[in-house]
Every structure is written in C-alpha cells, then in structure tokens.
Amino acid sequence: MTEHFLQDPECKVICFDNFDDYYNPLVKKRNIEPFASYPNFTLIKGDIRDRPFLKKIMIDIDYIFHEAAQAGVRISVDDPIKPHEVNATGTLNLLETAKDADVKKIINASSSSVYGKMKYLPFDEAHPTEPVSPYGISKLMAEHYCRVFQELYDLKTVSLRYFTVYGPRMRPDLAIHIFMHRALHNEPITIFGDGTKSRDFTYMQDIVEANIMAMKKGFGEYNIGGGYNITVQQLAEKIIAVARSTSKITYEKAVKGDAEHTSANIKKAEKELGWIPKITIDEGLEIYKKWIQQYQL
Ligand SMILES: NC(=O)c1ccc[n+]([C@@H]2O[C@H](COP(=O)([O-])OP(=O)(O)OC[C@H]3O[C@@H](n4cnc5c(N)ncnc54)[C@H](O)[C@@H]3O)[C@@H](O)[C@H]2O)c1
C-alpha cells in the first residue's frame, strides 16, 4: 500500500509501526528502506496500544490501512494475551481515536482465521465464525469493533478477511518463505502434519488492490483470497519445482490451533468491491523466488 500511494505526490503516507520483535525488526526496516527517499513519506514509531500517543498523531488523516497486529496463529496458542491486547484492544484504540479525528475510513486487515471450525467450503462471509485460536478470536473482535463503530458513530470501516498472504516483503515465519528459502538452498522442507491441510494463498499485489477498492466502497466483511486452494504437500512440491531444488520433504507433528482447510468464496468482494485476484499461485511463486534471490534472503 505504501509503495502504491507514494507514487501520487498529492498523497502523504505515514507508516506507523512499533517494530515489534516477533520477527527480526531489521527485516521490517529493510522492507521500508526504499520509501525513505520519498518526500511524501513519514515514518512514526509507535504502538497502537498507546492511545494517548495515537491521539497526538491523529491529525489530517483521511484513510487508515490498519495492518498492525500480533500476527501468527501458533504464537497465540502459547501467549493468548498479547494478540488480544494488540489486535482487539489496539484496534479499539485506533477506532476510538479516529472517530474524533474526522478520519474518512478505516480499512481493517482481518483474517480467514475468524472462521475456525469448518462447516462447509469454500467459506463465504455467512459461514459461522468459531475461531480455533486466540489469534482468530482477537481478529474477530477487531472486526466487530469496526462494524459497531460505523453503526454507532458513523466512522466508515470495512474488514478484509485475508487468506494466507504471500509475496515480496512477506512475513518470514510463513510456510511459503520458509519452504522457498530451504528449496533454494537444497535443504529439507518440513511439513507439520501429513501435508493434507490446504490453504487458499493470496498474492500481495492482489491484497493491495483489494485495499484500494475497499477504500472507495464497501462495509462489513469481505473474503480476500486467491480463489483456489492447494494442500501444503502440493505447495511444497510446487516450490521445489519452481526453485529447481533437490530438497526432500520431511514431516513433523501437526501444530495446535492451525485450521484444517481454508478456501475463500470471493463472490461478495467481486460483486460489491469489483475486486478479483489476478495472480495465480504459479506466477506468484516465480515472482517470490526472484525476490528472495535478489535480496539473498
Ligand atoms: N500474512 C498473512 O497471511 C495474513 C493472513 C490474514 C491476515 N493477516 C493480517 O494482515 C496484517 C499484516 O500481517 P503480516 O502477515 O504482514 O504481519 P507482520 O507481522 O509482518 O505485520 C504486522 C506489523 O504490525 C506491527 N505491529 C505489531 N504490533 C504492533 C503494535 N502494538 N503497534 C504498532 N504496530 C505493531 C509489526 O511490527 C509488523 O510490522 C495483520 O493484521 C494480520 O493479522 C495476515
């Protein structure tokens, strides 16, 4: 998003982040380094749990793309408090501050993790929400706060339920990054479980486009997914092929809190936002391989 809006000199872009050490903050700094030279870019180090600070900086802001979160299903199983404080209370702080500051709209990054227990596939937005991890609960609470702040206080909001996002600048603790990195080094690739879990993977640029469209219209919740799902086994095999690797696949015990399957019905986003994903998993993996090689990650 930052990259997109910086191209328009009329837009002033503020990047707000606390550089949390959930993963190496140097990765985050490297990701935003190219933006520093833009005159319309400002970096503010701050924490969404700090409401007085949010209040101080919430001046002349039209749109908020709310991506800040304690991400990660697995870590939330070990420490359920922090995801609640950052994702639920942090979002509430943001909404509470924005409603008094004439913000035009908050585009909230939500997650397929809000669905949890699968009743049918693909998930549409009417599917019951019964999260199976503290992370999923915290993201669901954030969605509810967004909806209620529009209904009660007229602060426009929309929540985009991302389905596993990948691509340049992605989180390094996610399977696609780890698998690609290992494949490019011909190291073994470990799958947690037997590889039959499946995911709907969404390419980063498609996520950016969904956010831009949701800035202009839409209210409530929208699935933002690639629109196809593949098993983790198929993913590993695709990555080995893309990387032309000799890596072997090994298996370890499945991890608690991980959903069995995710698959997005994206008709609502198509109909109401005019959004459709453009990048297939094969195209996305090729681009991501080049990115990793370019930056020697
Ligand atoms: N990556 C995915 O597959 C995926 C899937 C579904 C939803 N999401 C959502 O997308 C958003 C971005 O996720 P990501 O995967 O890029 O994760 P990420 O960890 O790379 O990005 C989150 C950012 O929030 C910052 N942050 C954390 N706590 C903060 C706080 N208290 N105050 C200010 N900043 C804070 C982090 O430093 C980090 O830069 C999150 O809201 C996440 O829940 C991601």
Side-chain angles (χ1 to χ4, degrees):
M1 248 90 70
T2 303
E3 195 168 35
H4 171 85
F5 285 108
L6 282 177
Q7 308 313 316
D8 179 353
E10 298 288 303
C11 288
K12 288 185 184 145
V13 181
I14 298 172
C15 172
F16 182 92
D17 201 298
N18 72 343
F19 296 95
D20 184 88
D21 64 1
Y22 164 54
Y23 62 85
N24 190 349
L26 288 176
V27 173
K28 301 173 186 185
K29 290 192 175 130
R30 187 206 58 220
N31 280 342
I32 58 168
E33 224 166 49
F35 309 142
S37 58
Y38 284 80
N40 51 346
F41 177 76
T42 307
L43 174 63
I44 298 181
K45 189 174 178 197
D47 196 309
I48 54 168
R49 289 168 292 186
D50 183 351
R51 190 145 50 90
F53 186 64
L54 285 178
K55 208 173 160 65
K56 216 162 95 183
I57 61 149
M58 197 71 75
I59 299 162
D60 286 341
I61 291 174
D62 291 328
Y63 298 97
I64 298 176
F65 295 91
H66 173 31
E67 304 294 320
Q70 175 54 60
V73 165
R74 292 172 193 176
I75 193 177
S76 81
V77 176
D78 296 333
D79 175 9
I81 304 296
K82 190 176 169 201
H84 178 86
E85 289 175 349
V86 176
N87 305 350
T89 312
T91 301
L92 178 59
N93 285 335
L94 199 65
L95 290 160
E96 177 63 10
T97 325
K99 94 175 201 304
D100 299 327
D102 287 335
V103 170
K104 290 187 179 138
K105 193 165 188 180
I106 296 189
I107 300 91
N108 173 47
S110 188
S111 167
S112 59
S113 300
V114 301
Y115 291 117
K117 286 187 187 155
M118 193 235 326
K119 303 279 190 268
Y120 57 85
L121 276 180
F123 294 127
D124 56 24
E125 290 80 354
H127 186 285
T129 47
E130 206 178 332
V132 291
S133 67
Y135 170 73
I137 298 173
S138 68
K139 297 300 282 185
L140 184 58
M141 287 180 81
E143 277 189 0
H144 281 304
Y145 279 128
C146 286
R147 179 182 49 78
V148 164
F149 263 67
Q150 173 149 346
E151 289 168 355
L152 288 182
Y153 309 115
D154 239 7
L155 169 64
K156 283 203 167 66
T157 64
V158 61
S159 289
L160 304 180
R161 292 177 174 167
Y162 300 169
F163 284 66
T164 318
V165 184
Y166 74 101
R169 303 194 184 94
M170 74 181 287
R171 239 169 61 217
D173 61 321
L174 292 176
I176 288 193
H177 176 80
I178 298 169
F179 289 6
M180 188 66 88
H181 183 270
R182 295 199 142 247
L184 287 169
H185 292 85
N186 296 311
E187 290 166 359
I189 289 177
T190 305
I191 289 179
F192 293 95
D194 62 3
T196 55
K197 284 189 177 173
S198 65
R199 292 286 176 273
D200 193 321
F201 293 99
T202 322
Y203 187 67
M204 199 72 83
Q205 192 56 36
D206 285 325
I207 294 279
V208 171
E209 282 177 17
N211 273 270
I212 293 163
M213 286 169 174
M215 180 183 107
K216 296 169 192 154
K217 50 185 167 178
F219 164 61
E221 298 79 35
Y222 295 90
N223 287 342
I224 301 298
Y228 51 82
N229 88 333
I230 59 169
T231 64
V232 178
Q233 176 74 28
Q234 287 169 324
L235 175 72
E237 287 167 4
K238 273 182 187 292
I239 289 178
I240 288 170
V242 164
R244 295 190 180 83
S245 170
T246 56
S247 292
K248 297 276 174 279
I249 301 174
T250 62
Y251 301 86
E252 277 186 22
K253 219 172 125 217
V255 181
K256 273 189 190 163
D258 267 354
E260 278 301 314
H261 303 283
T262 69
S263 173
N265 176 328
I266 50 176
K267 287 190 185 133
K268 186 179 175 203
E270 184 178 354
K271 187 165 171 245
E272 294 185 20
L273 305 180
W275 175 83
I276 38 165
K278 297 194 181 99
I279 306 288
T280 65
I281 185 78
D282 295 307
E283 291 166 333
L285 289 178
E286 271 298 337
I287 303 170
Y288 193 57
K289 178 187 75 174
K290 289 189 186 124
W291 167 270
I292 289 206
Q293 286 174 323
Q294 183 186 346
Y295 289 92
Q296 298 179 336
L297 298 176

